[in-house]
Amino acid sequence: MKVFVNKMIPETGIRMLEQEGLEVFFPEQEFLSQKKWLEYCQKADAILSVGTEFRYDRAFFTACPDLKAIALYSVGFDHVDIKEANRRNIPVGNTPDVLSKATSDVAFLLMQAVARRASFNFRKVKDGNWGAFDPLHALGQELYGKTLGIFGLGRIGFEMAKKSQKAFDMKILYHNRHRNEDAEKELNAKFVSFEELIGSSDVLSVHANFTPKHEDLFNRSVFEKMKANAIFINTARGGFHNEKDLYEALTSEQIWGAGLDVTNPEPMSEENPLLELSKVCVLPHIGSATVEARNGMAKLAAENIIAVSKGRKMPHCANPEVYSGHE
């Protein structure tokens, strides 16, 4: 079985594949054009896919009729046409759980960085602009006893809520498709409507799985309904927020600040006006960027490929319905 890995991943995952006798191959160059990427994919029985720059849509599946499986090196799978994968009986693996703590750490970090204007103040020091003590200059806000709203309280959202409650005694509101009874019992989290979530949260943190219906969900009309002291945090997918509307909400003081580990589009332009605002912190999509998380992701992705090579179900499958013949 030939496995195409489009970018280098931690050695533990590659070693697992090779120990099972799978033929692993990589691109000869670091940056691939769409055409070259497709050529490599056409040579593979399975793909271990890193990144989201290429889409697995109907045209892709048509061009790769012999493909047996895709193992994503990510939790999210919004760049894959799952319905088309199901139609062609192709399992799509992902890497849940292993990056929940690491990604929630970044959301927690962004919340504090924005609240205390950390990026802005670091830039002042770096630019030699420390200045004299001014009791009224660039004040932040404290998080103690504030309300944290979670949009999408799954594994990552739960970790973010738990950290925030223990560190700052924050009250937890959440909006989900389904209630999270564990969070309600352990964190006294309250299930609310989307309208109540955006209107009552001092910090609103996005952790849901992204789907096309979520495109620009956090837009002008939503920001207008948020509290003036609210901090918007997004570590899920950049498509959740409209960046022009976010900028206008910040500059018109409809909301207080924003922390982003994902942008719309990615990568963010260095000329994006959001980067000039003192109550904004932007990171380059580093949610899972720890040794522990990335090694764990490599292990799960390899396990998914190995299972397919042995004729078994993927243990970490984003479309388990493929095994029941669902189209």
Side-chain angles (χ1 to χ4, degrees), residues 171-227:
K171 304 175 184 68
I172 310 299
L173 303 180
Y174 76 99
H175 180 74
N176 271 17
R177 286 178 300 170
H178 308 290
R179 298 183 74 135
N180 187 325
E181 294 182 359
D182 290 339
E184 292 180 11
K185 291 177 183 177
E186 185 173 336
L187 305 175
N188 198 29
K190 181 182 177 183
F191 178 77
V192 297
S193 67
F194 183 71
E195 291 295 317
E196 184 174 349
L197 184 80
I198 62 176
S200 301
S201 299
D202 298 300
V203 178
L204 200 158
S205 194
V206 180
H207 298 283
N209 288 324
F210 183 79
T211 65
K213 72 177 183 179
H214 291 128
E215 187 71 38
D216 287 346
L217 174 64
F218 292 90
N219 55 30
R220 178 181 299 178
S221 64
V222 169
F223 294 132
E224 287 175 348
K225 297 173 184 176
M226 291 172 64
K227 298 170 74 172

Side-chain angles (χ1 to χ4, degrees), residues 85-87 89-91 313 317 319-327:
N86 288 342
R87 194 175 75 81
N89 294 315
I90 296 175
K313 294 181 179 180
C317 192
N319 61 334
E321 62 273 13
V322 75
Y323 293 112
S324 63
H326 175 78
E327 295 189 3

Side-chain angles (χ1 to χ4, degrees), residues 27-47:
E28 296 176 358
Q29 60 269 64
E30 184 177 357
F31 300 104
L32 294 174
S33 65
Q34 177 82 20
K35 179 181 179 182
K36 198 66 180 176
W37 167 74
L38 188 59
E39 288 176 2
Y40 279 111
C41 291
Q42 289 171 329
K43 299 174 184 177
D45 299 301
I47 301 168

